[in-house]
Amino acid sequence: MISPRICKPLQIAVLFACLAITAFGSAPALAAAPLVKTPAPGFFRVMLGDFEITALNDGTLDLPVEKILTNTTEAKVEQALAKSYLASPLETSFNGFLVNTGSKLILVDTGAGTGFGPTLGKLVANLKASGYQPEQIDEIYLTHMHADHIGGLTVDGQLAFPNAIVRADKNESDYWLSEANMDKAPDGEKGATKGTFKKVRALLTPYIQAGKYKPFEGSVELTPGISSSESPGHTPGHSGYIVESKGQKLLLAGDVIHVAAVQFEQPTVTISFDSNSKQAEAERIKEFSDAAKKGYLVAGAHLPFPAMGHIKALGKGFQWVPVNFTQMH
């Protein structure tokens, strides 16, 4: 109980405070905090056996997916998106992946660079935020040579990763560096056009001239614990990469899938960017079936960031189970 001796002065103090507020107006409100309007750094890290895997977000781009998905209808695409509380244009992630084997630092895909506007081209900034520098990259493995995967190879014509060896399937570089293929391609800047062929040449040539481009053929071991995996269809030499350490496995699947909300449940849905849609469809179903059966991790270049998880069989399709969050204690 408060003593009456203390209570009376306290009542007087409260009375004076009320009088002061009445006399001088209400107490001023604190200023509202301004909106920050900047995203968190786009990296996410997990361990795979002894290997450190870092997902690196290059940014996002709004895609009119109901227009570019094929072997389906616009209504079916919109219906599938709505089931996941999404709509078109769909904000789509663009991702690369960094593998630290302990002896090598390997980057899988380099992002879009400066060719796709201000919402992309953030991979190097997120690489630095994750604790690494471009100069530390030993090797770069390209899933394929579409510009959103190789655009970060150079900056103003100079090597963005000056100490890295660049590797891709020989079928891929043979296709995109072919004068005959470029001559047959239509004009324009979208798809397999003359503009795309020229862009690939401009991005890859500095590494070729520096003796830093070393293609491989087919499914081969590239470094202990990492192998290429032939995955044609999206492009002629499209490759996935299998990472294995201490019995754990991860498939870096590249562009086998673009729209998770549609193509897991309906894996027969293709996309207009595929060079061979039937082959791409068959490859997706084959890879998803294997991952669902064996339970290993999968990562995708256009799955929602951090773009890593497991695949479960579900009816005639599949279900995506994102990786659980970890702080890597």
Side-chain angles (χ1 to χ4, degrees), residues 108-129:
V108 178
D109 289 338
T110 67
T114 58
F116 286 77
T119 63
L120 291 179
K122 304 178 190 302
L123 186 141
V124 169
N126 286 323
L127 172 73
K128 292 176 180 178

Side-chain angles (χ1 to χ4, degrees), residues 149-259:
H149 294 257
I150 70 169
L153 279 173
T154 66
V155 177
D156 297 328
Q158 302 300 309
L159 306 186
F161 304 92
N163 299 311
I165 299 295
V166 176
R167 311 206 67 186
D169 192 293
K170 188 174 183 294
N171 288 328
E172 187 72 2
S173 50
D174 283 355
Y175 176 80
W176 291 107
L177 296 176
S178 165
E179 289 279 357
N181 287 342
M182 184 168 68
D183 290 342
K184 289 186 292 186
D187 292 323
E189 289 295 328
K190 292 184 179 180
T193 63
K194 281 185 172 63
T196 306
F197 280 89
K198 290 175 182 176
K199 188 172 290 186
V200 171
R201 187 166 301 222
L203 290 164
L204 204 58
T205 295
Y207 288 88
I208 295 172
Q209 291 176 340
K212 290 179 174 292
Y213 178 61
K214 296 183 179 180
F216 55 82
E217 295 187 58
S219 300
V220 294
E221 184 179 66
L222 301 174
T223 196
I226 306 180
S227 300
S228 61
S229 177
E230 290 179 279
S231 181
H234 182 60
T235 61
H238 183 277
S239 293
Y241 295 97
I242 296 171
V243 185
E244 295 180 278
S245 176
K246 284 198 166 179
Q248 296 183 40
K249 178 176 175 179
L250 164 68
L251 171 64
L252 300 172
D255 277 14
V256 164
I257 182 171
H258 290 79
V259 185

Side-chain angles (χ1 to χ4, degrees), residues 32-97:
L35 300 178
V36 178
K37 294 186 177 180
T38 56
F43 73 89
F44 177 80
R45 185 165 286 145
V46 297
M47 294 299 295
L48 186 87
D50 288 333
F51 291 178
E52 179 192 83
I53 312 294
T54 306
L56 297 170
N57 185 241
D58 190 51
T60 64
L61 193 65
D62 290 347
L63 295 179
V65 293
E66 85 286 5
K67 305 289 185 185
I68 59 178
L69 288 175
T70 51
N71 201 28
T72 185
T73 66
E74 290 189 17
K76 286 181 180 178
V77 171
E78 289 166 353
Q79 209 170 40
L81 291 174
K83 286 172 68 175
S84 296
Y85 302 95
L86 299 170
S88 185
L90 178 67
E91 186 173 7
T92 303
S93 292
F94 288 62
N95 311 302
F97 299 90

Side-chain angles (χ1 to χ4, degrees), residues 96-114:
F97 299 90
L98 188 68
V99 183
N100 190 338
T101 69
S103 60
K104 281 186 179 180
L105 197 58
I106 297 165
L107 178 64
V108 178
D109 289 338
T110 67
T114 58

